[in-house]
């Protein structure tokens, strides 16, 4: 069984990866939206689609981060015990 420190480090790395992927996706989406803004009506359609995808990606990233926090909490309780304060 992995130690709590190992799990905590792994969770931190995964959170950074999740949010870095979100940031890269947002950067690409903004580039596409800026590039296509003058192409009527396709630019408007692209903006609507990317706004929807951005909202979906944000919700997914938050849910994944919450799942990582729950995993870290389970491991903390397994290592330190249920009666540990905090």
């Amino acid at each position: 069984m992995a130690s709590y420190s190992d799990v905590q480090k792994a969770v931190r790395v995964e959170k950074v990866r999740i949010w870095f992927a979100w940031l890269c996706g947002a950067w690409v989406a903004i580039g596409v939206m800026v590039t296509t803004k003058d192409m009527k009506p396709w630019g408007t359609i692209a903006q609507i689609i990317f706004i929807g995808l951005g909202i979906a990606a944000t919700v997914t990233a938050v849910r994944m981060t919450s799942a990582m926090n729950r995993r870290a909490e389970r491991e903390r309780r397994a290592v330190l015990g249920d009666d540990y304060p905090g």
Side-chain angles (χ1 to χ4, degrees), residues 23-66:
L23 183 65
C24 290
W27 186 253
V28 169
I30 289 170
V32 170
M33 289 192 309
V34 167
T35 303
T36 61
K37 70 180 178 182
D38 295 328
M39 298 171 57
K40 304 289 183 204
W42 301 112
T44 305
I45 294 169
Q47 289 178 355
I48 291 169
I49 289 171
F50 279 111
I51 287 171
L53 290 174
I55 291 169
T58 301
V59 169
T60 302
V62 168
R63 289 186 58 156
M64 290 173 73
T65 302
S66 296

Side-chain angles (χ1 to χ4, degrees), residues 64-84:
M64 290 173 73
T65 302
S66 296
M68 291 285 160
N69 288 338
R70 286 191 301 273
R71 166 87 191 276
E73 180 66 19
R74 277 194 311 268
E75 293 297 326
R76 183 189 68 79
R77 289 193 181 277
V79 170
L80 301 176
D82 289 335
D83 59 344
Y84 186 78

Side-chain angles (χ1 to χ4, degrees), residues 7-21:
V7 172
Q8 191 176 25
K9 289 175 188 174
V11 166
R12 188 177 309 121
V13 167
E14 287 302 316
K15 284 182 187 179
V16 168
R17 286 180 180 173
I18 290 167
W19 288 106
F20 183 72

